[in-house]
Amino acid sequence: MTDFIPYGRQSIEEEDIAAVVEVLRSDWLTTGPKVAEFEQAVAGFCKVGHAAAVSNGTTALHAVMYAAGIGPGDEVIVPAITFAASANCAAFMGATPVFCDVRSEDLLLDPQKLENKFNERTKALVAVDYAGQPCDYDLLREIIAGRNILLIDDAAHSMGGEYKGRPTGSLADISTFSFHPVKPMTTGEGGMVLSDNEELIEKVRLFRNHCISADFRQREMSGSWHYDVVDLGYNFRLTDIQSALGLSQLKKLPDYRERRCAIARRYDEAFADVEEIMPLEVAANVKHAWHLYVVRLGSEQNPLDRADVFQRMRDAQIGVNVHYVPVHLHTYYRKKFGTKPGLCPIAEEQYKKIISLPIFPGLEEKDQQRVIDTLLTIIGK
Ligand SMILES: *Cc1c(COP(=O)(O)O)cnc(C)c1O
Protein backbone atom coordinates (compact mmCIF):
# COMPACT_ATOMS: atom_id res chain seq x y z
CA MET A 1 0.00 0.00 0.00
CA THR A 2 1.24 3.51 -0.78
CA ASP A 3 1.94 5.70 2.21
CA PHE A 4 -0.33 8.62 2.99
CA ILE A 5 1.39 12.00 2.56
CA PRO A 6 -0.15 14.63 4.86
CA TYR A 7 -0.30 18.33 3.87
CA GLY A 8 1.79 19.23 6.89
CA ARG A 9 3.50 17.57 9.82
CA GLN A 10 6.03 18.17 12.55
CA SER A 11 9.71 17.22 12.55
CA ILE A 12 10.75 15.71 15.88
CA GLU A 13 14.34 14.59 16.42
CA GLU A 14 16.23 12.99 19.29
CA GLU A 15 17.32 16.35 20.76
CA ASP A 16 13.66 17.44 20.99
CA ILE A 17 12.80 14.27 22.88
CA ALA A 18 15.81 14.67 25.18
CA ALA A 19 14.80 18.26 25.99
CA VAL A 20 11.29 17.16 26.98
CA VAL A 21 12.56 14.23 29.06
CA GLU A 22 14.91 16.54 30.94
CA VAL A 23 11.94 18.65 32.06
CA LEU A 24 9.97 15.55 33.04
CA ARG A 25 12.82 14.65 35.42
CA SER A 26 12.92 18.17 36.89
CA ASP A 27 10.87 19.87 39.62
CA TRP A 28 8.90 22.13 37.29
CA LEU A 29 6.33 20.81 34.82
CA THR A 30 4.59 24.16 34.46
CA THR A 31 5.13 27.85 35.34
CA GLY A 32 8.82 27.12 35.82
CA PRO A 33 12.09 28.35 34.31
CA LYS A 34 11.66 26.87 30.80
CA VAL A 35 8.64 29.07 30.08
CA ALA A 36 10.56 32.30 30.70
CA GLU A 37 13.58 30.93 28.82
CA PHE A 38 11.36 30.11 25.82
CA GLU A 39 9.71 33.54 25.89
CA GLN A 40 13.10 35.27 25.93
CA ALA A 41 14.42 33.08 23.14
CA VAL A 42 11.45 33.81 20.87
CA ALA A 43 11.57 37.54 21.68
CA GLY A 44 15.27 37.53 20.82
CA PHE A 45 14.75 35.59 17.60
CA CYS A 46 12.04 38.04 16.52
CA LYS A 47 13.90 41.15 17.76
CA VAL A 48 10.91 42.16 19.92
CA GLY A 49 10.97 43.58 23.43
CA HIS A 50 8.52 41.26 25.16
CA ALA A 51 6.85 37.89 24.73
CA ALA A 52 4.27 35.91 26.69
CA ALA A 53 3.75 32.19 26.10
CA VAL A 54 0.17 30.89 26.06
CA SER A 55 -1.60 27.58 25.51
CA ASN A 56 -2.21 27.92 21.73
CA GLY A 57 -2.58 30.38 18.86
CA THR A 58 -6.28 30.84 19.52
CA THR A 59 -5.79 31.83 23.17
CA ALA A 60 -2.94 34.11 22.02
CA LEU A 61 -5.41 36.05 19.86
CA HIS A 62 -8.06 36.00 22.61
CA ALA A 63 -5.53 37.41 25.09
CA VAL A 64 -4.54 40.14 22.61
CA MET A 65 -8.18 41.23 22.36
CA TYR A 66 -8.37 41.36 26.17
CA ALA A 67 -5.11 43.30 26.43
CA ALA A 68 -6.39 45.79 23.85
CA GLY A 69 -9.54 46.32 25.91
CA ILE A 70 -11.80 45.24 23.06
CA GLY A 71 -15.40 44.57 24.02
CA PRO A 72 -19.07 44.93 23.08
CA GLY A 73 -19.72 47.66 20.52
CA ASP A 74 -16.17 47.49 19.12
CA GLU A 75 -15.31 46.33 15.62
CA VAL A 76 -12.27 44.34 14.54
CA ILE A 77 -11.32 44.06 10.87
CA VAL A 78 -10.28 40.58 9.70
CA PRO A 79 -9.52 39.16 6.24
CA ALA A 80 -12.19 36.81 4.85
CA ILE A 81 -9.69 34.05 4.06
CA THR A 82 -8.14 32.81 7.29
CA PHE A 83 -8.66 30.25 10.01
CA ALA A 84 -11.79 31.06 12.06
CA ALA A 85 -9.68 31.79 15.18
CA SER A 86 -8.50 35.08 13.62
CA ALA A 87 -12.09 36.35 13.81
CA ASN A 88 -13.38 34.31 16.77
CA CYS A 89 -11.11 36.28 19.13
CA ALA A 90 -13.20 39.41 18.55
CA ALA A 91 -16.41 37.44 19.12
CA PHE A 92 -15.03 35.95 22.37
CA MET A 93 -14.87 39.49 23.79
CA GLY A 94 -18.34 40.44 22.53
CA ALA A 95 -16.95 42.58 19.69
CA THR A 96 -17.94 42.38 16.01
CA PRO A 97 -15.59 40.99 13.36
CA VAL A 98 -15.77 42.99 10.12
CA PHE A 99 -14.63 41.02 7.10
CA CYS A 100 -12.37 42.58 4.50
CA ASP A 101 -11.87 41.00 1.08
CA VAL A 102 -8.52 39.64 -0.08
CA ARG A 103 -6.36 40.19 -3.18
CA SER A 104 -6.79 37.52 -5.84
CA GLU A 105 -3.02 37.30 -6.51
CA ASP A 106 -1.90 36.32 -2.97
CA LEU A 107 -5.08 35.99 -0.86
CA LEU A 108 -3.73 38.55 1.61
CA LEU A 109 -6.05 41.21 2.99
CA ASP A 110 -6.58 43.85 0.27
CA PRO A 111 -5.41 47.24 1.59
CA GLN A 112 -7.48 48.97 -1.15
CA LYS A 113 -10.67 47.60 0.39
CA LEU A 114 -9.96 48.76 3.94
CA GLU A 115 -11.06 52.36 3.64
CA ASN A 116 -14.82 51.71 3.73
CA LYS A 117 -14.48 49.29 6.67
CA PHE A 118 -13.39 51.99 9.13
CA ASN A 119 -15.73 53.82 11.47
CA GLU A 120 -15.59 55.23 15.00
CA ARG A 121 -16.11 51.74 16.47
CA THR A 122 -13.08 50.21 14.69
CA LYS A 123 -10.54 49.29 17.35
CA ALA A 124 -8.20 46.78 15.70
CA LEU A 125 -7.06 45.27 12.43
CA VAL A 126 -5.98 41.63 12.41
CA ALA A 127 -3.59 41.14 9.48
CA VAL A 128 -2.99 37.47 8.65
CA ASP A 129 0.26 36.38 6.97
CA TYR A 130 -1.65 33.85 4.90
CA ALA A 131 0.33 30.76 3.81
CA GLY A 132 3.43 32.28 5.46
CA GLN A 133 3.74 35.47 3.41
CA PRO A 134 3.97 38.62 5.56
CA CYS A 135 1.48 41.37 4.65
CA ASP A 136 2.68 44.82 3.53
CA TYR A 137 2.93 46.30 7.03
CA ASP A 138 4.32 49.68 5.98
CA LEU A 139 1.31 50.17 3.74
CA LEU A 140 -1.13 48.97 6.41
CA ARG A 141 0.38 51.41 8.92
CA GLU A 142 0.06 54.23 6.43
CA ILE A 143 -3.61 53.42 5.89
CA ILE A 144 -4.51 53.28 9.59
CA ALA A 145 -2.32 56.26 10.56
CA GLY A 146 -4.14 58.74 12.79
CA ARG A 147 -7.05 56.38 13.46
CA ASN A 148 -6.11 54.84 16.81
CA ILE A 149 -6.44 51.29 15.51
CA LEU A 150 -4.28 48.51 16.98
CA LEU A 151 -2.43 46.63 14.24
CA ILE A 152 -2.28 42.91 15.06
CA ASP A 153 -0.32 40.31 13.11
CA ASP A 154 -1.83 36.83 13.27
CA ALA A 155 1.54 35.30 12.34
CA ALA A 156 0.46 31.69 12.91
CA HIS A 157 1.73 30.85 9.40
CA SER A 158 4.75 33.10 9.14
CA MET A 159 7.14 32.46 12.04
CA GLY A 160 10.67 32.56 10.61
CA GLY A 161 9.59 34.82 7.73
CA GLU A 162 10.61 38.43 7.15
CA TYR A 163 9.28 41.65 5.66
CA LYS A 164 11.87 44.17 4.40
CA GLY A 165 14.50 42.37 6.48
CA ARG A 166 12.45 42.50 9.69
CA PRO A 167 11.26 39.23 11.29
CA THR A 168 7.58 38.40 11.68
CA GLY A 169 6.50 38.88 15.26
CA SER A 170 8.04 42.38 15.13
CA LEU A 171 5.99 43.86 12.29
CA ALA A 172 2.74 44.95 13.94
CA ASP A 173 1.85 46.57 17.29
CA ILE A 174 1.33 43.09 18.67
CA SER A 175 1.73 39.65 17.06
CA THR A 176 0.75 36.05 17.73
CA PHE A 177 2.25 32.67 16.86
CA SER A 178 0.79 29.15 16.97
CA PHE A 179 2.90 26.09 17.74
CA HIS A 180 0.43 23.50 16.48
CA PRO A 181 2.26 20.56 14.80
CA VAL A 182 1.58 21.74 11.23
CA LYS A 183 2.87 25.28 11.91
CA PRO A 184 6.50 26.43 11.26
CA MET A 185 7.64 24.95 14.60
CA THR A 186 5.77 23.07 17.31
CA THR A 187 5.26 22.59 21.03
CA GLY A 188 2.39 20.09 20.50
CA GLU A 189 -0.11 22.81 21.33
CA GLY A 190 1.16 26.28 22.13
CA GLY A 191 1.19 29.97 21.29
CA MET A 192 3.03 33.22 21.91
CA VAL A 193 2.14 36.91 22.02
CA LEU A 194 4.89 39.39 21.12
CA SER A 195 5.09 43.16 21.39
CA ASP A 196 7.39 46.05 22.17
CA ASN A 197 4.54 47.41 24.30
CA GLU A 198 5.24 46.04 27.78
CA GLU A 199 1.87 47.13 29.13
CA LEU A 200 0.01 45.01 26.58
CA ILE A 201 2.18 41.97 27.33
CA GLU A 202 1.62 42.42 31.08
CA LYS A 203 -2.14 42.27 30.42
CA VAL A 204 -1.65 39.05 28.44
CA ARG A 205 0.27 37.58 31.41
CA LEU A 206 -2.57 38.56 33.72
CA PHE A 207 -5.27 37.11 31.47
CA ARG A 208 -3.48 33.78 30.96
CA ASN A 209 -3.38 33.24 34.72
CA HIS A 210 -6.95 33.98 35.94
CA CYS A 211 -6.18 37.70 36.15
CA ILE A 212 -4.49 37.04 39.46
CA SER A 213 -2.69 40.19 40.45
CA ALA A 214 1.02 39.78 41.11
CA ASP A 215 1.14 42.83 43.31
CA PHE A 216 3.73 41.78 45.86
CA ARG A 217 3.39 44.88 48.03
CA GLN A 218 -0.17 43.79 48.72
CA ARG A 219 1.10 40.31 49.56
CA GLU A 220 3.64 41.62 52.02
CA MET A 221 1.06 43.76 53.73
CA SER A 222 -1.55 41.07 54.22
CA GLY A 223 0.55 37.91 54.48
CA SER A 224 2.20 35.74 51.82
CA TRP A 225 -0.99 33.77 51.15
CA HIS A 226 -2.79 36.76 49.75
CA TYR A 227 -3.78 37.00 46.10
CA ASP A 228 -6.39 38.99 44.28
CA VAL A 229 -8.45 38.16 41.21
CA VAL A 230 -8.77 41.57 39.61
CA ASP A 231 -10.74 40.60 36.48
CA LEU A 232 -12.15 37.56 34.68
CA GLY A 233 -9.23 35.57 33.28
CA TYR A 234 -8.46 32.04 32.16
CA ASN A 235 -5.87 29.33 32.48
CA PHE A 236 -4.10 29.84 29.14
CA ARG A 237 -0.66 28.83 30.42
CA LEU A 238 1.99 26.95 28.47
CA THR A 239 3.84 24.15 30.33
CA ASP A 240 7.57 23.78 30.86
CA ILE A 241 7.36 20.50 28.96
CA GLN A 242 6.03 22.35 25.91
CA SER A 243 8.47 25.23 26.37
CA ALA A 244 11.45 22.85 26.38
CA LEU A 245 10.23 21.39 23.09
CA GLY A 246 9.80 24.94 21.76
CA LEU A 247 13.36 25.93 22.73
CA SER A 248 14.71 22.90 20.93
CA GLN A 249 12.54 23.52 17.84
CA LEU A 250 13.42 27.22 17.66
CA LYS A 251 17.09 26.35 17.03
CA LYS A 252 16.03 24.47 13.92
CA LEU A 253 13.44 26.94 12.62
CA PRO A 254 15.76 28.61 10.04
CA ASP A 255 16.70 25.17 8.71
CA TYR A 256 13.03 24.12 8.58
CA ARG A 257 12.27 27.27 6.60
CA GLU A 258 15.07 26.52 4.12
CA ARG A 259 13.63 23.09 3.52
CA ARG A 260 10.12 24.48 3.01
CA CYS A 261 11.57 27.02 0.52
CA ALA A 262 13.27 24.27 -1.48
CA ILE A 263 9.97 22.36 -1.70
CA ALA A 264 8.13 25.51 -2.83
CA ARG A 265 10.78 26.12 -5.52
CA ARG A 266 10.37 22.58 -6.86
CA TYR A 267 6.58 23.02 -7.07
CA ASP A 268 7.06 26.41 -8.78
CA GLU A 269 9.29 24.82 -11.40
CA ALA A 270 7.03 21.82 -11.95
CA PHE A 271 3.96 23.99 -12.56
CA ALA A 272 5.62 26.94 -14.32
CA ASP A 273 4.23 25.99 -17.75
CA VAL A 274 0.90 24.56 -16.59
CA GLU A 275 -1.79 27.18 -16.89
CA GLU A 276 -4.31 25.09 -14.94
CA ILE A 277 -2.13 25.25 -11.82
CA MET A 278 -1.63 28.81 -10.58
CA PRO A 279 0.51 29.32 -7.45
CA LEU A 280 0.03 32.46 -5.35
CA GLU A 281 2.25 35.46 -6.05
CA VAL A 282 5.08 36.33 -3.66
CA ALA A 283 6.26 39.91 -3.06
CA ALA A 284 9.93 40.69 -3.72
CA ASN A 285 10.52 42.28 -0.29
CA VAL A 286 9.51 39.31 1.88
CA LYS A 287 11.03 36.09 3.12
CA HIS A 288 8.12 33.66 2.84
CA ALA A 289 7.72 31.10 5.66
CA TRP A 290 5.91 28.60 3.38
CA HIS A 291 3.51 27.17 5.94
CA LEU A 292 1.20 26.36 3.00
CA TYR A 293 1.74 25.85 -0.71
CA VAL A 294 -1.57 26.92 -2.25
CA VAL A 295 -2.50 26.73 -5.94
CA ARG A 296 -5.59 27.79 -7.86
CA LEU A 297 -6.93 25.06 -10.14
CA GLY A 298 -8.29 25.54 -13.66
CA SER A 299 -7.90 27.98 -16.52
CA GLU A 300 -10.31 29.73 -18.84
CA GLN A 301 -9.93 27.00 -21.48
CA ASN A 302 -9.89 24.20 -18.97
CA PRO A 303 -11.95 24.87 -15.85
CA LEU A 304 -11.37 22.08 -13.34
CA ASP A 305 -13.69 20.70 -10.69
CA ARG A 306 -11.82 21.30 -7.43
CA ALA A 307 -13.89 18.73 -5.51
CA ASP A 308 -13.04 16.10 -8.10
CA VAL A 309 -9.30 16.88 -8.08
CA PHE A 310 -9.36 16.92 -4.28
CA GLN A 311 -11.02 13.49 -4.09
CA ARG A 312 -8.70 11.94 -6.66
CA MET A 313 -5.63 13.27 -4.80
CA ARG A 314 -7.01 11.82 -1.56
CA ASP A 315 -7.71 8.52 -3.32
CA ALA A 316 -4.03 8.52 -4.30
CA GLN A 317 -3.12 8.89 -0.59
CA ILE A 318 -2.10 12.53 -0.92
CA GLY A 319 -3.36 14.71 1.90
CA VAL A 320 -4.35 17.84 0.05
CA ASN A 321 -6.48 20.33 1.94
CA VAL A 322 -8.39 23.58 1.45
CA HIS A 323 -7.32 26.66 3.43
CA TYR A 324 -9.84 28.12 4.12
CA VAL A 325 -13.61 28.29 3.89
CA PRO A 326 -14.16 32.10 3.93
CA VAL A 327 -14.93 32.82 7.59
CA HIS A 328 -18.03 34.92 6.90
CA LEU A 329 -19.70 31.91 5.24
CA HIS A 330 -19.64 29.78 8.40
CA THR A 331 -23.00 29.12 10.07
CA TYR A 332 -22.04 30.85 13.32
CA TYR A 333 -21.08 34.06 11.54
CA ARG A 334 -24.20 34.07 9.36
CA LYS A 335 -26.44 33.54 12.38
CA LYS A 336 -24.68 35.84 14.81
CA PHE A 337 -23.46 38.64 12.55
CA GLY A 338 -25.70 38.30 9.49
CA THR A 339 -22.83 37.79 7.05
CA LYS A 340 -23.67 36.19 3.72
CA PRO A 341 -22.35 35.27 0.27
CA GLY A 342 -21.45 38.33 -1.78
CA LEU A 343 -19.82 40.13 1.17
CA CYS A 344 -16.26 39.32 -0.01
CA PRO A 345 -16.54 38.32 -3.68
CA ILE A 346 -12.83 37.79 -4.40
CA ALA A 347 -12.42 35.51 -1.37
CA GLU A 348 -15.52 33.53 -2.39
CA GLU A 349 -14.40 33.17 -6.01
CA GLN A 350 -10.83 32.18 -5.09
CA TYR A 351 -12.05 29.76 -2.43
CA LYS A 352 -13.67 27.63 -5.15
CA LYS A 353 -10.30 27.10 -6.86
CA ILE A 354 -7.75 26.71 -4.07
CA ILE A 355 -6.05 23.57 -2.90
CA SER A 356 -3.08 23.17 -0.53
CA LEU A 357 -0.36 20.72 -1.54
CA PRO A 358 1.85 18.90 0.98
CA ILE A 359 4.72 21.01 2.32
CA PHE A 360 6.72 20.32 5.49
CA PRO A 361 10.42 20.03 6.34
CA GLY A 362 10.47 16.23 6.26
CA LEU A 363 8.75 15.88 2.87
CA GLU A 364 11.11 13.73 0.82
CA GLU A 365 11.88 14.55 -2.80
CA LYS A 366 10.39 11.29 -4.08
CA ASP A 367 7.15 11.96 -2.18
CA GLN A 368 6.99 15.48 -3.56
CA GLN A 369 7.52 14.04 -7.04
CA ARG A 370 4.57 11.72 -6.39
CA VAL A 371 2.42 14.75 -5.50
CA ILE A 372 3.49 16.55 -8.69
CA ASP A 373 3.05 13.55 -10.99
CA THR A 374 -0.33 12.63 -9.51
CA LEU A 375 -1.69 16.16 -9.84
CA LEU A 376 -0.45 16.52 -13.43
CA THR A 377 -2.00 13.15 -14.36
CA ILE A 378 -5.34 14.06 -12.76
CA ILE A 379 -5.58 17.32 -14.71
CA GLY A 380 -4.60 15.51 -17.92
CA LYS A 381 -1.00 16.70 -18.39
C1 LIG B 1 -3.50 27.75 13.45
C2 LIG B 1 -4.03 29.13 13.36
C3 LIG B 1 -4.54 29.80 14.48
C4 LIG B 1 -4.82 29.13 15.78
O1 LIG B 1 -3.75 28.49 16.34
P1 LIG B 1 -3.98 27.22 17.30
O2 LIG B 1 -2.64 27.04 17.93
O3 LIG B 1 -4.38 26.07 16.44
O4 LIG B 1 -5.03 27.58 18.29
C5 LIG B 1 -4.89 31.13 14.33
N1 LIG B 1 -4.79 31.76 13.15
C6 LIG B 1 -4.34 31.15 12.05
C7 LIG B 1 -4.22 31.91 10.77
C8 LIG B 1 -3.96 29.80 12.12
O5 LIG B 1 -3.55 29.18 11.00
Side-chain angles (χ1 to χ4, degrees):
M1 226 194 91
T2 32
D3 291 332
F4 181 75
I5 305 172
Y7 86 85
R9 65 160 287 153
Q10 71 277 11
S11 295
I12 297 292
E13 289 140 313
E14 283 309 316
E15 62 269 23
D16 299 303
I17 295 165
V20 168
V21 169
E22 191 190 315
V23 171
L24 289 172
R25 295 190 200 283
S26 80
D27 291 335
W28 296 90
L29 296 188
T30 192
T31 323
K34 285 291 171 198
V35 179
E37 205 184 311
F38 183 39
E39 289 173 339
Q40 278 157 24
V42 173
F45 181 86
C46 297
K47 303 189 172 76
V48 181
H50 310 278
V54 290
S55 50
N56 56 62
T58 305
T59 54
L61 287 160
H62 188 169
V64 165
M65 290 288 134
Y66 173 80
I70 284 162
D74 294 338
E75 294 186 357
V76 177
I77 301 173
V78 187
I81 296 234
T82 182
F83 184 53
S86 311
N88 288 349
C89 59
F92 291 151
M93 300 306 296
T96 302
V98 172
F99 294 98
C100 182
D101 211 347
V102 297
R103 298 190 290 211
S104 57
E105 63 268 28
D106 54 17
L107 305 187
L108 295 176
L109 179 131
D110 187 348
Q112 312 284 346
K113 302 225 170 92
L114 273 174
E115 201 59 46
N116 64 3
K117 302 287 171 190
F118 296 130
N119 62 49
E120 63 287 349
R121 295 183 297 279
T122 311
K123 290 290 156 58
L125 166 61
V126 180
V128 177
D129 300 335
Y130 177 77
Q133 169 158 226
C135 298
D136 187 345
Y137 286 93
D138 287 349
L139 179 59
L140 292 178
R141 274 194 197 284
E142 219 172 275
I143 293 171
I144 63 172
R147 286 188 192 273
N148 201 23
I149 291 173
L150 188 75
L151 180 58
I152 300 161
D153 179 5
D154 177 349
H157 296 185
S158 64
M159 191 182 187
E162 289 179 5
Y163 165 79
K164 297 187 179 175
R166 282 138 49 199
T168 59
S170 73
L171 304 172
D173 297 325
I174 191 161
S175 305
T176 62
F177 289 140
S178 161
F179 305 127
H180 181 275
V182 297
K183 301 292 162 77
M185 56 163 265
T186 190
T187 62
E189 297 280 1
M192 190 79 76
V193 182
L194 300 100
S195 179
D196 283 322
N197 183 328
E198 191 172 7
E199 209 178 309
L200 287 175
I201 294 296
E202 278 311 313
K203 284 183 185 154
V204 170
R205 292 182 195 283
L206 199 64
F207 194 61
R208 76 173 174 190
N209 192 32
H210 311 280
C211 287
I212 289 174
S213 157
D215 187 339
F216 291 103
R217 270 170 309 133
Q218 260 266 325
R219 272 195 191 198
E220 271 165 30
M221 268 168 17
S222 35
S224 60
W225 46 266
H226 188 271
Y227 65 93
D228 188 24
V229 173
V230 296
D231 202 353
L232 183 63
Y234 291 88
N235 175 353
F236 284 168
R237 296 185 301 258
L238 194 74
T239 66
D240 281 59
I241 306 166
Q242 294 166 310
S243 299
L245 180 53
L247 278 161
S248 177
Q249 289 265 302
L250 183 62
K251 293 185 193 135
K252 299 181 280 189
L253 181 63
D255 177 47
Y256 289 162
R257 187 189 155 271
E258 284 301 317
R259 283 145 73 178
R260 287 175 180 274
C261 281
I263 293 164
R265 273 197 299 272
R266 285 201 294 266
Y267 279 138
D268 285 345
E269 282 163 24
F271 305 137
D273 299 323
V274 185
E275 61 173 10
E276 291 92 341
I277 304 176
M278 279 275 294
L280 301 178
E281 286 178 20
V282 179
N285 59 9
V286 302
K287 256 172 78 176
H288 201 302
W290 293 110
H291 164 57
L292 300 173
Y293 191 88
V294 176
V295 298
R296 279 75 55 86
L297 294 172
S299 65
E300 235 159 81
Q301 289 82 356
N302 185 12
L304 293 166
D305 179 349
R306 194 259 314 264
D308 178 57
V309 174
F310 183 97
Q311 194 51 53
R312 289 164 72 184
M313 291 294 278
R314 284 289 180 100
D315 290 346
Q317 299 296 310
I318 294 169
V320 288
N321 221 314
V322 173
H323 298 96
Y324 296 93
V325 177
V327 184
H328 66 284
L329 299 183
H330 287 302
T331 301
Y332 169 73
Y333 283 91
R334 293 191 197 211
K335 286 209 300 214
K336 172 86 181 177
F337 300 105
T339 55
K340 49 178 178 283
L343 185 64
C344 298
I346 304 292
E348 292 164 30
E349 168 206 299
Q350 292 292 313
Y351 162 64
K352 293 182 189 142
K353 303 180 189 172
I354 52 176
I355 197 161
S356 305
L357 302 179
I359 187 166
F360 52 91
L363 180 65
E364 286 178 35
E365 212 163 322
K366 70 168 181 13
D367 285 339
Q368 185 179 10
Q369 198 56 50
R370 204 178 107 208
V371 175
I372 293 166
D373 294 343
T374 309
L375 183 57
L376 290 176
T377 305
I378 288 172
I379 70 168
K381 294 280 154 172

